[in-house]
Amino acid sequence: MGRHSIHRLRDPFYTGLIFQIEQMICSADEEAKEAGCGLNDSQVQSALVKAQNLVKGAAPKIPESSDRDRLLSKLIRSLHDARECLLQECVADDGIAEQRPLRRVEWANALETVIDSIKRRKGGVSGSRAYLEFLPEFLAQARDEH
C-alpha cells in the first residue's frame, strides 16, 4: 500500500493497527475524565508524536508534573510498548511461517496515520475535542461491523 497515511486507511493490515491505537486513546480519555482532568485533541496528538518518536528511537521529553501529564505519559508509554505485544506472521525463506513482533516502521506509520486523522478532525480550533468525541461512536460502529 502507499506511503501516505490516507492509503493506509484502506489497507487491512494498517486498519487493524489503527483500531488498536484508537482503542488505547479512547481508554486514556475515559481514564482522564474519571480523574477529572479531561484531555483535548492537541494533547493526544502531542502524545502520539512522542510515542512515535520513542518507537523511532528518540528520547522525547515526557513531563509528569501533573495528573494530566501522568495520564498522557502512561498513554505514550503504552503506545510505545504495544508494538512488542503485537505479532505478525512472517514466512521465512524456507517457507516456514513464524510469529514476529511488529516492525518499528509499521507501528510508526500506524501512529502517523492516527496523528493525521486527529489533525483533520480538530481543525484549527484550540482545545478541540472533535476527534475524541468522534472516537467512541466510530469504534463502536467498527466493532459492530466485525
Side-chain angles (χ1 to χ4, degrees), residues 7-37:
H7 297 286
R8 291 184 207 120
L9 293 172
R10 296 185 195 107
D11 182 336
F13 172 76
Y14 277 107
T15 56
L17 298 178
I18 292 163
F19 186 77
Q20 294 293 325
I21 293 166
E22 290 180 328
Q23 286 183 309
M24 294 172 76
I25 292 168
C26 201
S27 294
D29 188 42
E30 286 301 315
E31 187 175 347
K33 286 178 192 173
E34 290 172 10
C37 55

Side-chain angles (χ1 to χ4, degrees), residues 11-145:
D11 182 336
F13 172 76
Y14 277 107
T15 56
L17 298 178
I18 292 163
F19 186 77
Q20 294 293 325
I21 293 166
E22 290 180 328
Q23 286 183 309
M24 294 172 76
I25 292 168
C26 201
S27 294
D29 188 42
E30 286 301 315
E31 187 175 347
K33 286 178 192 173
E34 290 172 10
C37 55
L39 303 176
N40 66 42
D41 295 341
S42 293
Q43 292 163 335
V44 172
Q45 179 181 332
S46 177
L48 286 167
V49 169
K50 289 176 182 181
Q52 184 184 39
N53 287 335
L54 274 175
V55 168
K56 291 178 177 181
K61 183 179 176 189
I62 304 172
E64 295 195 18
S65 57
S66 69
D67 289 342
R68 179 178 292 116
D69 286 343
R70 284 186 284 281
L71 286 167
L72 288 167
S73 174
K74 180 179 173 184
L75 174 62
I76 293 164
R77 296 184 194 296
S78 295
L79 287 166
H80 171 262
D81 296 345
R83 182 186 72 83
E84 292 294 323
C85 300
L86 298 171
L87 300 176
Q88 67 185 59
E89 188 170 295
C90 299
V91 179
D93 292 339
D94 60 7
I96 296 174
E98 59 186 31
Q99 298 287 322
R100 292 188 187 161
L102 189 64
R103 294 183 339 180
R104 288 178 186 268
V105 68
E106 293 163 336
W107 191 239
N109 286 344
L111 289 166
E112 176 185 57
T113 303
V114 177
I115 292 165
D116 289 347
S117 181
I118 293 171
K119 288 177 187 176
R120 281 191 300 277
R121 285 240 172 245
K122 78 173 183 172
V125 179
S126 179
S128 169
R129 282 190 46 86
Y131 173 80
L132 290 169
E133 290 172 3
F134 156 82
L135 198 54
E137 186 176 324
F138 173 76
L139 291 173
Q141 286 177 348
R143 278 191 285 275
D144 290 345
E145 291 175 8

